[in-house]
């Protein structure tokens, strides 16, 4: 089964992201707006219990941290993806790094660029138009993140929360 680990922002931030995603992101219906902190990986039933226990340990050691968004950015020319740029605060980067330690499956395929996708699979012209208009827009979003989620992918491609891990909690 495919799993991934993400942070979900508040409903207010999700509403802002969705105002763009419903038009520019074909994955809009498959997963709410999120920050991926560990890319998708495969695990079977025998592995997932150990992974969940390790995630509980990571959560217990993690303190809440700020989620800060000030602007829109793009992965162009690698992909025609437009996103809300999340500042890579130290705690967020450390959390992602911990999830790629030898206790967890999968190696990092890409450098960690914290973001919330608002448009993807755009044509070059559409990307240019969307990014051109949105990059002028300033955002002033700051909120506190106090949990992360382990997700799994269903057969229809959508993602569902398997378990939520609150920072500082022992379960």
């Amino acid at each position: 089964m495919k799993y991934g680990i993400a942070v979900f922002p508040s409903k207010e931030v999700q509403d802002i992201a969705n105002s763009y995603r419903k038009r520019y992101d074909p994955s809009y219906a498959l997963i709410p707006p999120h920050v991926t902190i560990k890319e998708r990986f495969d695990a079977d039933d025998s592995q997932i219990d150990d992974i969940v226990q390790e995630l509980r340990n990571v959560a217990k050691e993690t303190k809440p941290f700020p989620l800060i968004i000030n602007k829109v950015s793009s992965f162009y020319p690698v992909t025609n993806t437009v996103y809300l740029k999340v500042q890579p605060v130290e705690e967020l980067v450390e959390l992602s790094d911990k999830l790629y330690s030898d206790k967890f499956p999968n190696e990092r395929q890409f450098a960690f660029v914290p973001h919330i996708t608002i448009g993807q699979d755009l044509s070059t012209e559409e990307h240019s138009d969307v990014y051109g208009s949105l990059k002028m827009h300033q955002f002033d979003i700051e909120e506190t993140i106090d949990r992360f989620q382990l997700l799994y992918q269903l057969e229809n491609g959508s993602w569902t929360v398997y378990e939520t891990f609150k920072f500082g909690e022992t379960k």
Side-chain angles (χ1 to χ4, degrees):
M1 186 173 280
K2 295 240 182 266
Y3 293 89
I5 302 173
V7 167
F8 290 102
S10 67
K11 181 185 181 319
E12 292 78 18
V13 174
Q14 289 189 35
D15 288 348
I16 292 167
N18 277 334
S19 70
Y20 302 108
R21 290 182 72 225
K22 62 184 160 196
R23 185 165 172 201
Y24 303 120
D25 185 358
S27 297
Y28 168 75
L30 301 177
I31 188 169
H34 63 281
V35 178
T36 300
I37 53 176
K38 181 169 179 61
E39 299 163 33
R40 71 183 73 198
F41 61 93
D42 289 309
D44 58 36
D45 291 343
S46 65
Q47 297 169 299
I48 202 63
D49 289 339
D50 292 339
I51 291 170
V52 165
Q53 187 54 53
E54 282 303 322
L55 291 173
R56 287 180 183 140
N57 293 337
V58 168
K60 186 171 53 175
E61 300 165 356
T62 304
K63 292 186 179 4
F65 56 82
L67 181 79
I68 304 167
I69 301 167
N70 298 115
K71 67 180 187 172
V72 168
S73 195
S74 172
F75 288 126
Y76 182 83
V78 177
T79 68
N80 288 348
T81 299
V82 179
Y83 58 87
L84 296 174
K85 182 173 177 46
V86 173
Q87 287 189 10
V89 297
E90 184 178 340
E91 299 91 342
L92 177 58
V93 173
E94 285 178 6
L95 176 58
S96 180
D97 287 347
K98 284 180 186 177
L99 300 179
Y100 284 94
S101 71
D102 56 350
K103 296 175 184 173
F104 296 99
N106 224 33
E107 290 183 23
R108 195 182 293 272
Q109 291 183 301
F110 305 102
F112 181 55
V113 178
H115 67 281
I116 299 172
T117 300
I118 58 174
Q120 60 185 333
D121 301 332
L122 303 168
S123 70
T124 301
E125 296 80 22
E126 191 175 29
H127 171 270
S128 182
D129 288 348
V130 171
Y131 181 55
S133 65
L134 291 180
K135 74 178 180 181
M136 310 289 215
H137 191 87
Q138 288 292 313
F139 293 87
D140 185 22
I141 299 170
E142 182 168 348
E143 61 186 26
T144 300
I145 298 297
D146 67 352
R147 68 196 67 207
F148 63 85
Q149 283 77 18
L150 173 64
L151 309 160
Y152 66 97
Q153 192 171 29
L154 301 173
E155 286 182 21
N156 68 1
S158 67
W159 289 85
T160 299
V161 173
Y162 184 91
E163 189 166 329
T164 296
F165 303 88
K166 196 161 190 308
F167 299 156
E169 269 190 6
T170 56
K171 218 177 192 182

